[in-house]
Amino acid sequence: MAFKCGIVGLPNVGKSTLFNCVSSGRAQSANFPFCTIEPNLGFTNVPDKRLEVLSEMCKPKRTIPATVEIVDIAGLVKGASKGEGLGNQFLANIRETDAILHVLRCFDDNNVVHVDGSVDPVRDKEVVDTELQIKDLETVEARIAKVQKPATTGGDKDAKRVLDLLMRYKAALEQGLSCRTVQVVNEEEASLSRDLFLLTNKPVLYVCNVDDASAARGNHYVEAVREAVKEENAEILIISAQTESEVAEMDSYEDRQLFLEEMGLSESGVVRLLQSAYRLLGLQTFFTTGSDECRAWTIRRGDKAPKAAGVVHSDFEKGFIRAEVIKYEDFVALGSEAAVRAAGKLATEGKEYVVQDGDIMHFLFNV
């Protein structure tokens, strides 16, 4: 079950440096625009202390964490929607992602060239937003032209529902707003919305890349961004890509923790970034445990037990009978599956059970 986050932003804001910190890939990082041309791909583990605890308790032969795919996408410039710079390629690469990590430069450094000549993260954000909105408006207008006749004169109820949603998107885009600001009224509309694959409808995390001294508390640039996005219901993360780069090169866990403490940080920005990305994608984790393997599995919030079974193996979903479920807290408190059973804390759940984050599950099936 692959989920993909795209790292986007203007050239030279720290995207590739950040990508190198969070992924198994190694992107070129340099002080000139369009250093990144082809998107860099890398899979990264999602930090989860619960898996570490389960692995310590069960002593399995292997421990397998959940993963997220990270994509470092070429820097965008004004006019990208019309093909400027690497515009068409940039927009196509964003369309393939499930969520956007929008990196904004929030630091001063005369040695790092800014494509527009000065540091202004709010302006930079608006450049990217505008280009994505222009492209979405083109998409929406093309779809309106396609469904308007059957919706208005042909009596096609499905086309009318699509048209109603498209007109709301068009109104928002013409006001300079992203599609994610438009509220969908039910699951049917949510499904229609997803099928449109609009760029500005993707969930976004604004990553404020600051200097080392601002890594713990941010700075005036971060506050300006916070003010600019307050109506978007978007999350902001403060991180110093340079600091994270230094942390990533340290071999010792103790050295890394000491360094972070000296910086006034309780944990790595990369850890916070990956956890935020996971939430941004609407994901949660369930676990399977045993002497052979402890593993974290990824599903969407709201998924039911058969769907979770299918993540482990497609046959488990096809022949699903029931799931045995242990709450993580009960397993840790009681110390073993046998103790959980003896205490009557193991639940047997059917097809309608909605999986909860942290559930430890065993599936019974027949095919």
Side-chain angles (χ1 to χ4, degrees):
M1 200 171 190
F3 296 95
K4 184 184 293 186
C5 285
I7 300 179
V8 307
L10 297 186
N12 287 5
V13 297
K15 300 187 311 300
S16 295
T17 300
L18 190 60
F19 172 82
N20 287 338
C21 294
V22 302
S23 78
S24 58
R26 282 294 177 264
Q28 185 184 3
S29 177
N31 180 25
F32 56 88
F34 307 121
C35 168
T36 302
I37 298 177
E38 293 297 326
N40 296 296
L41 306 176
F43 283 90
T44 189
N45 297 336
V46 179
D48 195 322
K49 292 181 179 178
R50 297 172 300 180
L51 182 62
E52 297 175 21
V53 171
L54 292 174
S55 184
E56 183 63 28
M57 293 176 66
C58 299
K59 301 291 192 295
K61 295 176 183 176
R62 58 184 179 273
T63 300
I64 304 176
T67 61
V68 171
E69 186 175 358
I70 303 293
V71 190
D72 175 29
I73 299 173
L76 176 146
V77 294
K78 189 179 293 186
S81 59
K82 305 301 181 185
E84 293 294 325
L86 301 169
N88 291 330
Q89 183 174 334
F90 174 95
L91 296 168
N93 291 332
I94 291 180
R95 202 176 297 280
E96 295 173 0
T97 66
D98 299 297
I100 296 171
L101 307 179
H102 187 165
V103 181
L104 297 168
R105 177 173 170 174
C106 295
F107 65 90
D108 293 308
D109 187 339
N110 292 332
N111 295 318
V112 179
V113 177
H114 191 290
V115 69
D116 285 330
S118 62
V119 177
D120 185 342
V122 174
R123 176 202 60 207
D124 295 351
K125 170 194 172 302
E126 290 172 352
V127 168
V128 174
D129 284 351
T130 298
E131 297 305 321
L132 299 185
Q133 290 163 6
I134 290 171
K135 202 66 180 178
D136 273 353
L137 186 57
E138 291 177 6
T139 301
V140 166
E141 288 177 337
R143 289 297 299 269
I144 288 173
K146 186 175 180 179
V147 302
Q148 195 156 27
K149 185 174 181 179
T152 55
T153 62
D156 188 328
K157 293 182 179 179
D158 290 337
K160 187 178 186 309
R161 282 191 286 269
V162 174
L163 180 61
D164 288 344
L165 182 59
L166 287 168
M167 294 305 292
R168 280 154 45 206
Y169 281 141
K170 183 173 186 290
L173 291 165
E174 288 177 339
Q175 295 176 57
L177 299 173
S178 295
C179 291
R180 71 180 70 89
T181 64
V182 175
Q183 296 295 316
V184 294
V185 298
N186 52 39
E187 181 52 39
E188 182 185 34
E189 275 201 351
S191 178
L192 293 173
S193 175
R194 287 191 292 269
D195 290 344
L196 294 172
F197 298 103
L198 297 171
L199 300 172
T200 66
N201 211 20
K202 297 179 184 294
V204 61
L205 171 68
Y206 292 105
V207 182
C208 294
N209 184 18
V210 300
D211 56 276
D212 289 356
S214 304
R217 295 181 179 82
N219 54 31
H220 67 285
Y221 291 129
V222 175
E223 292 310 310
V225 173
R226 202 183 302 279
E227 179 66 21
V229 306
K230 65 182 181 182
E231 303 298 330
E232 289 190 32
N233 193 28
E235 192 173 341
I236 289 177
L237 183 72
I238 302 169
I239 193 170
S240 168
Q242 186 57 46
T243 297
E244 297 302 319
S245 180
E246 294 174 28
V247 171
E249 292 176 0
M250 296 179 182
D251 295 326
S252 165
Y253 172 80
E254 290 74 18
D255 287 346
R256 291 196 295 271
Q257 288 305 113
L258 181 61
F259 180 79
L260 289 171
E261 288 173 11
E262 290 174 349
M263 298 292 295
L265 300 169
S266 59
E267 62 182 350
S268 162
V270 166
V271 170
R272 291 183 285 114
L273 176 65
L274 292 172
Q275 291 171 341
S276 295
Y278 208 62
R279 291 195 303 271
L280 190 67
L281 290 164
L283 306 179
Q284 65 180 13
T285 300
F286 73 92
F287 302 101
T288 54
T289 61
S291 57
D292 284 338
E293 177 183 285
C294 276
R295 183 163 182 167
W297 301 88
T298 300
I299 56 171
R300 293 193 182 278
R301 288 194 295 268
D303 281 351
K304 296 181 179 180
K307 188 75 172 180
V311 173
V312 177
H313 196 289
S314 58
D315 285 347
F316 289 14
E317 183 175 11
K318 293 174 185 175
F320 180 88
I321 299 173
R322 63 183 181 273
E324 294 180 339
V325 181
I326 300 172
K327 296 303 175 185
Y328 169 80
E329 294 77 10
D330 291 336
F331 190 90
V332 173
L334 295 168
S336 69
E337 182 178 327
V340 170
R341 287 180 182 273
K345 295 287 189 177
L346 185 146
T348 299
E349 304 288 357
K351 292 182 178 180
E352 294 305 309
Y353 176 70
V354 177
V355 179
Q356 302 300 302
D357 186 53
D359 280 352
I360 299 169
M361 307 188 74
H362 173 69
F363 301 103
L364 288 81
F365 67 102
N366 182 28
V367 290

